Amino acid sequence: MKKACVVKAHRAGLFSLINKIITCAEIYENVHVDLSGSLYGEGNVWDALFEPTTPPEEPYDVIETYPHQDYTYRGPALLYTDPSDAWRHRLHALWLRFKVRPEVMYWADAFTNNVGPYVSVQILSLAHAGEQITGESQAMERYEETLWATLRPGESVFPLVNDVETRKWLAYRFPISEITNARRAANRYVDFHLSCPQTFEDAKEALIEVLIASRARAICHPISNMATAALYMNPELESIYLP
């Protein structure tokens, strides 16, 4: 294992950044995170969400791009279909090296302490089609069929979605539970975090939502940085992968 690195931001959403940090944590003993200049603003958004990491002494590597893509882009397709789930336990141990700020964790705890059993579903913007192994986004009908087959009596659906239109589509068909105040795009054609200027608050809401999604009984999902993170945050979470 290498000694130390400083992880810098690249132009991507929060969980692309977080999965890069976890990738580095598998390679380096000391990972310092400086996400200044991310999509979320000029300051270090990491320190608004997590306890600050310790800057290393020289020499250290500066990481701006992914060391490898096993945990991002199309790489997770192999992980999702691995019956051993060993990767989830391995990355979970790395995830525990980083501490979410209590004021962020509060909202995830508030949800799970006050809502009954639920399953999570992630429906991505159509702009993410290229990340799927088919090169196409999953049809809404597939989500509907999968959720009806997955839900148990008394369970609700937690929507991990990009846009207002998709949230309404889910609410029309299923009982949903949600407490977050995340801003969303108007419809699935818009990739919200790349199309609308982002703030630290947007990053906070994204983290809260994935923490909540990770605590479900199951998550129905495509290839996604958010889903990958939820699965290693909670290695017991049932994964229902839609290729």
Side-chain angles (χ1 to χ4, degrees):
M1 178 174 281
K2 296 183 180 181
K3 188 171 182 180
C5 72
V6 175
V7 181
K8 298 288 189 177
H10 59 282
R11 189 174 184 274
L14 179 65
F15 279 90
S16 180
L17 300 175
I18 287 176
N19 287 342
K20 183 173 73 173
I21 292 161
I22 294 296
T23 302
C24 291
E26 197 170 36
I27 300 170
Y28 293 89
E29 293 178 19
N30 181 2
V31 175
H32 175 53
V33 183
D34 179 4
L35 301 182
S36 302
S38 70
L39 290 178
Y40 301 95
E42 291 304 315
N44 186 1
V45 68
W46 174 266
D47 289 354
L49 306 175
F50 294 83
E51 298 297 333
T53 54
T54 303
E57 295 181 358
E58 293 184 345
Y60 55 81
D61 294 337
V62 176
I63 308 299
E64 296 184 352
T65 60
Y66 269 87
H68 60 72
Q69 291 190 317
D70 291 357
Y71 310 136
T72 192
Y73 191 55
R74 294 183 177 182
L78 292 176
L79 303 178
Y80 299 158
T81 54
D82 179 358
S84 75
D85 276 347
W87 70 273
R88 295 174 63 179
H89 294 275
R90 185 176 69 253
L91 299 193
H92 179 69
L94 301 175
W95 164 252
L96 294 178
R97 288 170 54 178
F98 307 101
K99 305 300 180 185
V100 178
R101 284 190 173 276
E103 59 269 29
V104 177
M105 191 66 77
Y106 170 85
W107 293 104
D109 291 342
F111 181 91
T112 52
N113 290 337
N114 291 283
V115 172
Y118 63 97
V119 299
S120 302
V121 60
Q122 185 179 24
I123 304 178
L124 292 173
S125 158
L126 297 175
H128 290 269
E131 298 173 12
Q132 310 307 310
I133 58 172
T134 62
E136 298 180 353
S137 296
Q138 293 74 8
M140 300 299 284
E141 291 76 14
R142 288 190 64 200
Y143 283 105
E144 184 172 13
E145 292 170 3
T146 302
L147 283 172
W148 281 125
T150 301
L151 279 176
R152 296 173 181 173
E155 288 185 330
S156 61
V157 173
F158 178 75
L160 189 61
V161 299
N162 168 79
D163 63 279
V164 173
E165 187 174 270
T166 296
R167 182 218 164 270
K168 289 180 179 178
W169 182 92
L170 284 167
Y172 181 76
R173 291 161 174 79
F174 303 99
I176 66 171
S177 296
E178 57 184 348
I179 64 164
T180 56
N181 299 308
R183 296 191 301 149
R184 307 188 196 281
N187 56 57
R188 202 179 175 196
Y189 293 95
V190 179
D191 191 356
F192 176 71
H193 73 282
L194 292 180
S195 302
C196 303
Q198 298 291 287
T199 67
F200 280 20
E201 190 65 23
D202 292 314
K204 174 185 171 184
E205 294 296 335
L207 178 54
I208 291 168
E209 289 201 334
V210 174
L211 288 167
I212 290 172
S214 75
R215 299 178 183 186
R217 176 180 63 80
I219 182 170
C220 172
H221 64 95
I223 295 176
S224 156
N225 281 306
M226 285 181 156
T228 298
L231 291 170
Y232 65 67
M233 286 178 177
N234 176 12
E236 306 306 316
L237 173 65
E238 180 184 352
S239 170
I240 303 172
Y241 167 47
L242 275 63

